[in-house]
Amino acid sequence: DVPGVRNCAVVKETLRSGYEALVAVVEGAGLTPGAILQVCAEHLSPTQTPRRVIIVEALPLNAMRKVDRQAVAEMVTLHDSR
């Protein structure tokens, strides 16, 4: 458990090089991507550690009140286009 994290989802993104990388989309307050990456690096193997972290106020939910992974992937894509 990381203080301030309410929920998270991890999705793959395809890099320009063609490789895939993990992106963590974290729901919470008072968080920084660097702090989340540090905790991940301390507790996960390098292949499980996300390449980057996006902090959001709320993760999108589907009709069953579960994280809508497709909408999260779209959030990652939209975040890249900024």
Side-chain angles (χ1 to χ4, degrees), residues 7-12 23-27 52 54 56 58-62 66-79:
N7 202 354
C8 71
V10 178
V11 296
K12 289 182 184 178
V23 178
V25 181
V26 179
E27 176 183 308
R52 64 191 179 106
I54 299 170
V56 297
L59 288 170
L61 303 178
N62 62 24
K66 294 187 177 196
V67 173
D68 184 336
R69 297 186 62 73
Q70 182 175 350
V72 171
E74 291 171 4
M75 289 173 74
V76 170
T77 301
L78 288 174
H79 191 270

Side-chain angles (χ1 to χ4, degrees), residues 18-42:
Y19 289 102
E20 290 184 331
L22 299 177
V23 178
V25 181
V26 179
E27 176 183 308
L31 305 167
T32 64
I36 299 295
L37 287 171
Q38 182 176 350
V39 170
C40 290
E42 291 171 1

